[in-house]
Amino acid sequence: MAAQLEHSPLMEKLATLNSDVNDSIISLFECPVCFEYLVPPIYQCRNSHHVCSPCKSKMDRCPSCTEPFLDARSIFAEQIAEHLLYPCKNLEAGCYEKCSQKDITIHHAVCPHRLYDCQLGIFRDWICENPQTDLQWELVIVVYICHMTPIDV
């Protein structure tokens, strides 16, 4: 019976609703400066606008309202962030995985859609897509092997 309920139309609607709610909330967790997702520590200004830690360290005032930042972290926002599923940064390359904030970094390191750096310098100014998932590359075996080294991000 549990297997029947798992694949019922009601459960599918609830899963879609849950995903839609997550996507709506996660869109509010973008840093207005660097556009990366906010992960703890999350800081705020006097008007409760949030900014990520790396961006706060580079500025004194909020980019949204020019009020000074508080020295206190936004514990409320941090607690919400712990319960969200973050989309993979390789979404545009075809990865639709979503992970918790503690697992997303691990996923990025092994994502089959991540970018690779050309170790031979043939594509010196390019970052090449992973040849395991992008079969458009018509490369000789030596160039193919050089693309097997992931970029350190």
Side-chain angles (χ1 to χ4, degrees):
M1 177 155 175
Q4 278 182 318
L5 189 58
E6 190 174 306
H7 297 290
S8 73
L10 176 61
M11 292 306 288
E12 289 177 17
K13 286 182 183 179
L14 286 174
T16 300
L17 177 63
N18 189 32
S19 178
D20 290 346
V21 169
N22 183 82
D23 292 349
S24 294
I25 295 171
I26 200 83
S27 69
L28 302 173
F29 276 73
E30 274 188 11
C31 176
V33 179
C34 66
F35 303 108
E36 294 291 329
Y37 288 110
L38 296 169
V39 294
I42 300 172
Y43 293 94
Q44 64 183 352
C45 73
R46 289 185 191 169
N47 290 327
S48 299
H49 296 122
H50 295 102
V51 68
C52 70
S53 180
C55 289
K56 181 191 179 285
S57 67
K58 298 174 189 169
M59 56 185 57
D60 296 327
R61 297 194 167 269
C62 175
S64 299
C65 67
T66 68
E67 286 291 323
F69 286 111
L70 303 175
D71 287 329
R73 293 165 49 178
S74 177
I75 302 302
F76 179 71
E78 290 180 8
Q79 289 174 343
I80 293 172
E82 289 177 10
H83 297 284
L84 295 174
L85 295 177
Y86 291 80
C88 178
K89 67 181 178 182
N90 301 310
L91 178 64
E92 290 183 14
C95 184
Y96 298 101
E97 289 290 320
K98 293 180 182 179
C99 303
S100 67
Q101 72 181 36
K102 68 177 184 169
D103 294 335
I104 196 70
T105 304
I106 296 166
H107 169 74
H108 287 154
V110 297
C111 178
H113 299 276
R114 67 191 182 277
L115 299 178
Y116 287 75
D117 194 9
C118 179
Q119 298 297 307
L120 292 179
I122 294 171
F123 302 107
R124 195 171 306 273
D125 297 328
W126 295 15
I127 296 177
C128 306
E129 290 187 17
N130 182 343
Q132 293 174 332
T133 58
D134 185 4
L135 299 178
Q136 297 175 48
W137 287 96
E138 295 179 7
L139 302 171
V140 293
I141 193 69
V142 175
V143 176
Y144 177 81
I145 291 170
C146 89
H147 285 88
M148 298 308 293
T149 305
I151 295 175
D152 294 326
V153 180

